[in-house]
Amino acid sequence: MGDSSNLDLISDLPQSIIESILTRLPIRDAVRTSFLSSKFRYRWAALTHLVFDEDCVPLSNDRALFEDKLINFITRALFLHQGPIHKFQLCTSYLQSCPEIDQWILFLSRKDIKELVLELGESEWIRIPSCLFKCNKLICLELFRCELDPPPTFKGFMCLKTLNLYQVFVASDAIESLISSCPLLENLSLSYSDSLTLNIYAPNLKYLCLEGEFKDICLQNTPLLIAMSVAMYMTEDIAEHMQQSSSCNFIKLLGSVPYLEKLTGRIYFTKYLSIGDDRGRLSVTYSHLKIIELYQVSFEDMKEILVVLHLITNSPNLKELQISGSSNTLAAMEATDLDFWDKECPSPCLFERLKVVKMTEMSGVPHEMEFIKFLLERSPVLEVMSIMPCPSVMDGRLNMLIELVRFRRASARAEILFIQC
Amino acid sequence: MADDGVNTKVEAVSKATTETIELRTEDGGVFDVDKPVAMEFLILKSFYEDEGRVFDKTSIRLPNVKQLELSKVIEYCTRALEFGAKSAAAAGDKDAERMVRQEREGFEAEFVDELSNEMLKELILAVNFLDIKEMLDFLIRSVANRIRNRSVAYVRQFFDIENDFTPQEEDQIHQENAWAFEGVDAD
C-alpha cells in the first residue's frame, strides 16, 4: 500500500491548473472553495475569469427578491476580488437596467478588463455608462440589447479585436467612428441595429457578420476581409429609395475585398446587390473566394441572377456553391430570355475548380433549370450536384428529373443527387 | 503479452513502419510508443528539438510517471490523434463532422467514467509533467464536472485537503461568504 501520509494532491498543483479547474466551475462553487483550507481561502478571489448568470443564486418565486440577491451576489464577489479581471460575463434575462451595473462597469474599468460580455433582460435596455469607454485594454466586447453612446472624447479601443453588437441602439456615425477607431479590429458582428447607414473603415478586419435592416452599407476599407456573412432585410420603401440613388451596391459591398474566401448572403442579399448602376463590368477578381452560399435568390428577377453570374464568373477558384431559391412560380414560369446564361457568359468560361454545388428550395422554374444546365456544362471537375426541391412543390418533381437527366455534363465524375424531402 | 505486471511491454498502435521510442516509467514499466504520439508530450518534443537530436530508439526514463498512468496517457493520445485525422478528413461535410464529434464524446465519456478520483488526480499530475495541453484540458474539465455542485466536505475528501481552519476562522469565513452559501444542501 502507498504511504499513509495525507498526500494533498491539489493544493500544490500549479496555480494555473487550479485556476483552470475553478474557472470551469459555476462561480458559486468557486467561491465556496474558500472553505476548503487556508491555502484555498482566497484562491477563488484571484480568478481572472468571472462568469455570472441566474444560477448564482437559488431560484425564487419573488422576482424582485431574486434580482436583489443576484445583484448582491455579483457586488460581493467583485468587492472581495483581488487582482486583475480579464473576463467578465453576465448573461441573464432576470436582470434589467439597474444602477449597480454602472458601478460594476466602473469597477471593471479599473481592473484591466479584456473581455466583456453583457446580456440582460429584454424589457428595459440598459444605457451603457461612459466608463466602459475607459476600458482601454478591451480585446473582446459583446453587448446585447442596450443603448450605446460613446462620449465625444472617446478615442477608440486600441486593443479591440472582436466586437459583437446584438440589438444595440446606436447612431450610425457613432458606430462608424467606433469601428474606425479600433485599429486592430478583426471580427465584427452587427445584428438588428436597424436603419443604420454604415461606412466600414477597418483595415484589419477579417470576419464580418451583418444582420438586419440596413439603409446602406459600404465597405470603405476592409482589404483583409476573409469571410463575410450578410442577412439583409429590406422593406419596400428602402428598396425604392435605393433604386433612386445611382451608386452601385455590388461595388460598395464587394468592390474591394480581394482576399475574400467565403461569402454568405441571406434574405434579400442578392436583391440588395442587384440595385444600383452597374455601368460596365466590374474588374475585381475574387481569386481566393472558394465558398459562396446565397439564400433566397429569386430566379425570376433577371438582375438578381445577373449578380449570381457575376460573382461566380469572377471567382476562378470557386470550389463550393450553394444556392437556395425563392421563386414565385407563377411569374417565374413565364420566363423569357432563357438563353440568358449563354449570352451573358461566352464560351471559354469554365468553372475549373468547382467541385460541389447544392441547390435547395428549387421550384423547377425555367431559369433555375437553365442555371443547373449551365453549371453542369461548364464544370469539368464537378463531383457533386445536389438538388433539393421545395417541399411545397410536389407535381413538378418528375418534370425536374426528366430535364435533369438530359443535361450534358462536362465532368464524367459528376454525381447528381436529387434529394427528396 | 503479459497483463498487469512489472515490466509489461506494450505496443502502441501497431504500424511496422512508424518510428517508436521506448519510455520507461519509475515503477519499471517499459512502453514502445509511436513517434507521433510521443511528440504530443511536449516535454519529449522539446527534448528532441532543442537538443537537435536524431530520433533514434533511445530509451527515456520518466521519473514522475507510473506505468498505469502512462498506459492511460498513451491510450488517450493515440485516440486523440485518430480523431484529429478523422475530423480533418470530414472537413466540410457537416454530417460526417458531427459523427466524428459524437464518437469522440462517447470515447471521452467512457474513458473518464472508468477513472477513479484517485486515478484522475494522478493523471493530472502525470499529464502536467509531460506537458500535453489537450489532454490536460480534458482532465481539468472532468475534475470540474466531478466537483461541481458538491458540498465542501466532498471536495475536501476528493482532493485529500486537510481542513486547517480553527472554528473561529470557519465562522469568519461563513460571515464573509454567506452570500455564496444560500440555498446549498450538503452533498
Side-chain angles (χ1 to χ4, degrees):
Chain A
M1 277 294 261
D3 37 354
S4 52
S5 67
N6 209 4
L7 273 176
D8 178 346
L9 285 166
I10 186 170
S11 306
D12 294 322
L13 276 178
Q15 169 69 9
S16 61
I17 294 192
I18 301 206
E19 172 156 341
S20 301
I21 298 177
L22 292 183
T23 305
R24 279 168 179 73
L25 292 174
I27 183 111
R28 198 174 66 173
D29 286 356
V31 175
R32 290 195 279 140
T33 61
S34 56
F35 247 101
L36 289 176
S37 74
S38 56
K39 268 193 184 162
F40 260 93
R41 186 163 174 188
Y42 291 113
R43 259 181 155 157
W44 76 266
L47 287 181
T48 54
H49 281 214
L50 299 175
V51 174
F52 298 96
D53 55 28
E54 58 258 8
D55 291 334
C56 295
V57 294
L59 281 179
S60 167
N61 281 331
D62 184 342
R63 176 96 184 209
L65 184 62
F66 183 77
E67 270 188 47
D68 276 346
K69 285 197 173 171
L70 187 53
I71 292 176
N72 185 43
F73 184 96
I74 299 173
T75 307
R76 297 294 206 117
L78 289 180
F79 194 47
L80 285 169
H81 189 275
Q82 291 176 311
I85 297 180
H86 290 156
K87 175 172 171 174
F88 179 91
Q89 176 173 310
L90 175 56
C91 296
T92 171
S93 52
Y94 287 89
L95 267 189
Q96 318 291 344
S97 174
C98 59
E100 282 82 4
I101 295 181
D102 288 18
Q103 290 171 13
W104 297 337
I105 297 183
L106 178 60
F107 181 84
L108 292 170
S109 69
R110 297 171 178 159
K111 291 278 217 167
D112 293 343
I113 184 95
K114 291 188 179 160
E115 190 177 335
L116 177 61
V117 179
L118 208 52
E119 180 177 358
L120 299 178
E122 288 196 2
S123 49
E124 214 190 310
W125 291 16
I126 65 170
R127 263 200 103 217
I128 299 288
S130 59
C131 51
L132 175 78
F133 300 95
K134 297 213 175 74
C135 301
N136 49 21
K137 299 230 168 84
L138 266 183
I139 297 181
C140 173
L141 179 61
E142 283 187 37
L143 298 172
F144 293 69
R145 293 181 283 272
C146 59
E147 273 182 54
L148 201 61
D149 191 14
T153 49
F154 177 57
K155 297 270 184 335
F157 293 119
M158 292 300 128
C159 308
L160 196 68
K161 285 194 172 166
T162 300
L163 179 62
N164 286 344
L165 299 177
Y166 190 95
Q167 283 188 303
V168 170
F169 192 74
V170 61
S172 291
D173 52 351
I175 185 77
E176 266 179 21
S177 80
L178 174 58
I179 294 172
S180 63
S181 63
C182 299
L184 297 184
L185 195 63
E186 284 181 13
N187 300 301
L188 174 62
S189 173
L190 276 177
S191 305
Y192 307 111
S193 298
D194 287 342
S195 309
L196 285 180
T197 304
L198 278 185
N199 260 331
I200 298 183
Y201 186 96
N204 279 309
L205 196 65
K206 296 204 172 105
Y207 303 97
L208 176 63
C209 176
L210 297 171
E211 251 182 297
E213 225 179 76
F214 294 90
K215 280 219 185 93
D216 191 26
I217 311 177
C218 178
L219 297 188
Q220 200 178 12
N221 186 19
T222 54
L224 299 183
L225 200 62
I226 294 177
M228 181 179 354
S229 169
V230 180
M232 185 68 106
Y233 292 82
M234 253 186 344
T235 57
E236 282 301 321
D237 32 305
I238 291 192
E240 278 294 318
H241 167 84
M242 276 190 212
Q243 298 279 17
Q244 316 289 345
S245 81
S246 62
S247 55
C248 174
N249 284 350
F250 193 107
I251 296 179
K252 282 201 289 197
L253 209 47
L254 295 170
S256 43
V257 287
Y259 293 106
L260 195 64
E261 290 176 21
K262 181 171 179 187
L263 175 64
T264 307
R266 292 175 204 269
I267 322 289
Y268 286 118
F269 182 66
T270 32
K271 183 164 172 67
Y272 179 81
L273 284 183
S274 72
I275 294 174
D277 248 337
D278 187 8
R279 290 274 147 79
R281 288 285 150 91
L282 248 187
S283 55
V284 182
T285 303
Y286 304 104
S287 12
H288 295 261
L289 191 50
K290 296 196 182 64
I291 306 179
I292 295 179
E293 292 174 3
L294 297 170
Y295 297 82
Q296 282 90 34
V297 177
S298 186
F299 275 85
E300 74 254 20
D301 182 345
M302 300 308 290
K303 285 178 138 195
E304 275 192 54
I305 53 184
L306 189 57
V307 163
V308 176
L309 187 63
H310 211 117
L311 270 172
I312 60 180
T313 51
N314 283 4
S315 310
N317 291 310
L318 187 62
K319 249 178 84 173
E320 212 179 292
L321 175 64
Q322 178 163 336
I323 307 251
S324 188
S326 129
S327 306
N328 172 347
T329 44
L330 283 180
M333 286 313 268
E334 294 156 11
T336 53
D337 204 14
L338 284 176
D339 57 354
F340 160 86
W341 299 101
D342 289 317
K343 229 171 39 175
E344 292 291 338
C345 190
S347 256
C349 172
L350 289 180
F351 304 111
E352 310 218 333
R353 301 263 195 288
L354 189 58
K355 286 201 171 154
V356 175
V357 176
K358 293 187 188 150
M359 310 285 297
T360 60
E361 299 292 322
M362 292 284 103
S363 318
V365 298
H367 271 299
E368 283 173 3
M369 302 311 293
E370 281 300 314
F371 182 59
I372 294 173
K373 174 172 172 219
F374 172 76
L375 287 175
L376 285 171
E377 275 174 355
R378 306 219 182 190
S379 310
V381 298
L382 190 66
E383 286 173 13
V384 174
M385 159 84 73
S386 82
I387 296 165
M388 203 185 295
C390 215
S392 54
V393 165
M394 294 310 285
D395 296 340
R397 292 186 187 198
L398 189 56
N399 286 339
M400 279 173 80
L401 272 171
I402 293 175
E403 277 197 70
L404 271 174
V405 158
R406 283 182 61 184
F407 292 158
R408 293 187 205 282
R409 308 177 201 183
S411 164
R413 289 173 53 84
E415 277 187 352
I416 299 188
L417 304 174
F418 193 84
I419 301 176
Q420 297 271 49
C421 51
Chain B
M1 257 188 289
D3 257 329
D4 287 353
V6 179
N7 288 333
T8 312
K9 219 174 167 78
V10 174
E11 224 84 53
V13 182
S14 50
K15 284 191 202 141
T17 48
T18 328
E19 287 178 83
T20 61
I21 180 176
E22 191 179 83
L23 298 175
R24 293 177 179 279
T25 63
E26 68 173 0
D27 53 353
V30 179
F31 294 83
D32 258 332
V33 181
D34 278 355
K35 182 177 176 183
V37 176
M39 290 296 102
E40 293 287 296
F41 308 178
L42 288 187
I43 193 179
L44 289 182
K45 188 167 184 194
S46 57
F47 176 70
Y48 278 94
E49 284 177 0
D50 289 351
E51 306 282 315
R53 271 173 226 265
V54 172
F55 200 97
D56 54 16
K57 199 174 167 158
T58 42
S59 185
I60 296 192
R61 258 199 83 232
L62 299 173
N64 295 337
V65 185
K66 302 202 192 71
Q67 59 180 324
L68 191 50
E69 280 80 28
L70 188 58
S71 77
K72 279 284 174 193
V73 169
I74 293 172
E75 183 191 338
Y76 182 88
C77 289
T78 310
R79 295 300 302 274
L81 282 177
E82 282 171 17
F83 284 121
K86 279 189 191 172
S87 250
D93 181 349
K94 293 208 173 93
D95 289 326
E97 281 176 348
R98 203 187 343 121
M99 271 189 62
V100 175
R101 225 179 3 247
Q102 284 175 344
E103 209 190 325
R104 178 165 197 160
E105 281 166 15
F107 159 70
E108 287 185 341
E110 233 184 273
F111 183 88
V112 79
D113 256 356
E114 288 171 356
L115 299 175
S116 65
N117 288 346
E118 186 68 37
M119 191 59 188
L120 191 48
K121 286 177 281 182
E122 294 282 357
L123 269 183
I124 288 190
L125 290 173
V127 172
N128 185 45
F129 170 73
L130 293 170
D131 200 359
I132 310 172
K133 192 171 176 308
E134 203 185 345
M135 188 171 181
L136 187 60
D137 200 66
F138 164 67
L139 293 173
I140 285 177
R141 271 185 282 132
S142 308
V143 169
N145 284 339
R146 285 209 188 169
I147 61 175
R148 174 195 300 257
N149 284 329
R150 296 294 198 163
S151 70
V152 171
Y154 182 92
V155 178
R156 262 205 208 112
Q157 185 243 333
F158 183 93
F159 289 116
D160 274 333
I161 299 175
E162 200 189 313
N163 178 7
D164 57 352
F165 289 127
T166 66
Q168 293 92 327
E169 281 174 326
E170 279 198 352
D171 273 339
Q172 236 184 353
I173 304 177
H174 213 281
Q175 294 262 1
E176 203 171 81
N177 293 334
W179 50 275
F181 278 83
E182 282 195 60
V184 172
D185 331 298
D187 251 328

